[in-house]
Amino acid sequence: MKRPRRPHPVRTAALPLGLLTVLFLAFALPPYLGLDPALARLPIPADAPWYYPALVAHIGFGSVALLAAVLQVWPWLRRHHPAVHRWSGRVYVFGGVLPGGLVVLAVSPFSVSGGAVSHVANTMLALLWLFTTVAGYRAARRRRYAEHREWMVRSVALAFSIVASRLWSVACIAVFAPEVFGEGAIDPVTLAAAVGIAAWLSWVVNLLLAEYWLHRTRRSAVGA
């Protein structure tokens, strides 16, 4: 009888995901570490003085969620150090997703960039992120670990939409508003549409890929 292969501690998707997370945070965090609104990469509404502190809080909680998510998707750590997996999961839920998602619901309607299309996309993202995470946490508490795994795969996919959004934003602006990268007048309406489309693609595509992966793993489990 063939013995099942044990996951190698290094040969895992968590390694490139962790590297991607570190590179992303190294790029995204510095403008906000000095707490200077003038350095923010997003425009700050003049009539909402609370917006910048809320934005910084969201970035902080989101960073915690991304780092903890890397530990959550590391099979070797989950199997050999379940206590670390459980505690990093609690950090992901209570130190990252719950506060980070709630802050998104507060700041999204007041964001200057992207217009209504982006506002709706980010609000839907926050609601789904909160829902999938709470569903995954409740499944774990009930020891329904297969359900827990599937919900948390969806949650992590939504968490990394912030990384994907940078790529989609560049692609959508290059297609719909290329003048941003060159010369010529920039049409604010076209630019807002490009940002709005990128906001939807950033999490919808991630979630579809997660569902496809879950479907494939279910079929593999049935055929094993």
Side-chain angles (χ1 to χ4, degrees), residues 15-104:
L15 185 60
L17 194 63
L19 179 60
L20 176 64
T21 300
V22 171
L23 292 175
F24 173 75
L25 294 180
F27 165 78
L29 288 182
Y32 301 95
L33 296 178
L35 302 179
D36 183 358
L39 299 178
R41 289 198 172 99
L42 295 176
I44 307 299
D47 57 347
W50 52 266
Y51 182 90
Y52 180 74
L55 176 64
V56 172
H58 166 62
I59 292 171
F61 293 132
S63 300
V64 171
L66 290 178
L67 292 170
V70 173
L71 298 179
Q72 288 296 288
V73 301
W74 191 359
W76 179 86
L77 184 70
R78 182 176 66 250
R79 296 190 180 192
H80 293 270
H81 300 281
V84 176
H85 175 77
R86 287 193 297 270
W87 278 104
S88 63
R90 294 185 183 107
V91 171
Y92 175 76
V93 174
F94 297 106
V97 178
L98 293 185
L102 291 174
V103 173
V104 172

Side-chain angles (χ1 to χ4, degrees), residues 149-150 153-154 157 203-221:
R149 170 180 169 272
E150 293 199 356
V153 166
R154 298 181 182 109
W203 66 264
V204 171
V205 173
N206 275 22
L207 196 55
L208 289 175
L209 290 174
E211 291 297 335
Y212 174 75
W213 186 83
L214 288 171
H215 176 69
R216 289 290 301 272
T217 55
R218 289 191 205 107
R219 290 181 59 185
S220 299

Side-chain angles (χ1 to χ4, degrees), residues 134-149:
V134 171
Y137 178 76
R138 292 183 63 186
R141 295 285 295 176
R142 295 173 180 176
R143 299 184 182 277
R144 298 177 179 175
Y145 296 119
E147 293 180 21
H148 164 72
R149 170 180 169 272

